[in-house]
Amino acid sequence: MERKELFRIGEVSRLFHISISTLRYYDRTGLVCPEYTDSDTGYRYYGAAQFECLNTIRYLRELDMPLDRIAGFLQNRDIGKIQELLQNQEAEIEKREQRLKMIRRKIRNRLSQIQDALSSRLDEICLVDTPPRRIASIRQSLGPSDYQELEYSIRLLEESEEGTSIFLGKIGVGVSGERLRRGEYHSYDVVFLLLDEEDTFQGDTTVLPAQTCAAVRFQGRHEQAPGYYGRLMEYIRREGYAVAGFSREITMIDYGLTNDTSKFVTEIQIPVNKSRPT
């Protein structure tokens, strides 16, 4: 055996920037076996044939191709096979790119939502113009403290989804327009997901039109909401407006973001008609 023809595993590791443990794994799995293993010392020696395989593996791994596919190609190397392999990998990369873009938009949305909540002017009622919004909703009666029922309703909404509501838009609850007019604010009858523009949702969705809403933000969660509903309805009547749909109540900052309850922020929006009665 000539030294110039074969290289020990440590030398191969340095030449290819592949760890010795990885080379040993390749040997155990049959992906790349040494040209020769010394029966006395156990030293592994690699030659030109293994170098070609290692070059191919390193190239395909740089393309983020999984080892099982690489192994299949090495067992049956062919121009048509490598074309198919690369085309399939390109298609998968494109899917990942789209998902990463969506994740980036999600991160930006969440950062914007947090900053918006942190800059809230609490306990002030105002009119806000909301853009068209897409929601998925379910009719469900529950009280402000019925978190188990709320979670169950969320699971029902996401039952047919590949992902989960954790990755969708904001979760909210609402009181129907009829019950708002009757002054019944101590339980909810709507649970909804306020979907972001990039969200895909397999179930039924509704697009809420652009609306003007009477809104208030306050420190706390749903348990403190009834009193604020009363104030909102007083404001709506005093200003001569009329309720134009169910309320949208969303906890913008809660235990999902902080353990500091003094930073909790909940918003209630009630859509109203702008026209005043004559």
Side-chain angles (χ1 to χ4, degrees):
M1 181 192 314
E2 293 291 336
R3 166 79 172 171
K4 64 182 180 181
E5 295 178 353
L6 296 178
F7 298 82
R8 284 174 55 171
I9 191 170
E11 295 172 293
V12 175
S13 172
R14 290 191 295 274
L15 286 170
F16 286 89
H17 303 286
I18 299 174
S19 69
I20 291 176
S21 62
T22 297
L23 288 169
R24 287 173 176 160
Y25 172 77
Y26 289 172
D27 185 10
R28 288 197 308 273
T29 58
L31 189 61
V32 180
C33 298
E35 180 80 18
Y36 168 77
T37 301
D38 190 303
S39 58
D40 295 326
T41 64
Y43 291 159
R44 296 169 170 86
Y45 293 90
Y46 295 79
Q50 290 76 49
F51 281 19
E52 290 178 4
C53 287
L54 289 172
N55 272 326
T56 300
I57 292 170
R58 190 168 62 167
Y59 168 68
L60 294 177
R61 287 299 290 153
E62 284 295 318
L63 300 181
D64 207 24
M65 196 169 293
L67 279 177
D68 58 343
R69 293 186 188 176
I70 295 173
F73 170 69
L74 291 177
Q75 292 168 7
N76 183 25
R77 277 180 275 190
D78 177 79
I79 293 176
K81 183 74 174 176
I82 191 64
Q83 285 178 310
E84 179 184 359
L85 201 63
L86 292 173
Q87 288 167 354
N88 291 339
Q89 186 68 4
E90 182 182 25
E92 288 196 12
I93 294 297
E94 287 177 356
K95 288 181 182 178
R96 288 187 216 167
E97 285 179 347
Q98 293 304 312
R99 178 170 174 77
L100 288 173
K101 287 179 181 178
M102 185 267 287
I103 290 172
R104 185 176 185 180
R105 290 195 297 269
K106 278 289 182 183
I107 292 171
R108 287 179 173 177
N109 285 343
R110 181 50 61 93
L111 287 171
S112 176
Q113 291 162 7
I114 292 172
Q115 186 56 46
D116 180 31
L118 291 174
S119 61
S120 297
R121 300 180 66 175
L122 302 178
D123 298 329
E124 293 186 11
I125 296 176
C126 61
L127 291 176
V128 295
D129 291 320
T130 61
R133 295 178 288 183
R134 186 166 56 100
I135 67 166
S137 63
I138 187 172
R139 290 283 176 178
Q140 180 76 26
S141 178
L142 70 160
S145 301
D146 291 342
Y147 296 114
Q148 287 186 337
E149 287 297 323
L150 177 58
E151 286 297 321
Y152 176 70
S153 299
I154 295 166
R155 301 291 86 77
L156 289 177
L157 279 171
E158 68 177 20
E159 192 172 21
S160 62
E161 303 306 305
E162 293 182 3
T164 69
S165 61
I166 293 172
F167 206 61
L168 295 174
K170 292 182 284 188
I171 299 164
V173 291
V175 181
S176 68
E178 294 81 3
R179 293 183 56 242
L180 287 171
R181 297 182 192 100
R182 294 198 300 266
E184 299 173 0
Y185 320 131
H186 291 272
S187 63
Y188 305 101
D189 42 26
V190 178
V191 178
F192 64 88
L193 293 172
L194 184 58
L195 299 169
D196 292 326
E197 183 179 350
E198 63 272 11
D199 288 334
T200 58
F201 194 84
Q202 304 301 318
D204 295 333
T205 61
T206 302
V207 177
L208 302 175
Q211 292 175 303
T212 296
C213 296
V216 66
R217 294 180 180 183
F218 60 90
Q219 178 187 329
R221 301 184 68 186
H222 301 301
E223 295 91 337
Q224 288 78 45
Y228 288 94
Y229 274 102
R231 287 180 54 188
L232 281 167
M233 290 304 297
E234 288 177 7
Y235 172 87
I236 290 169
R237 294 190 185 100
R238 184 175 66 250
E239 297 298 319
Y241 289 93
V243 173
F246 68 91
S247 65
R248 296 89 201 241
E249 181 181 330
I250 293 173
T251 302
M252 305 174 71
I253 295 180
D254 60 7
Y255 281 117
L257 299 179
T258 178
N259 289 323
D260 187 349
T261 57
S262 69
K263 291 186 170 63
F264 286 7
V265 177
T266 297
E267 180 179 47
I268 302 172
Q269 296 180 352
I270 299 178
V272 296
N273 289 324
K274 283 187 174 181
S275 58
R276 296 172 182 266
T278 57

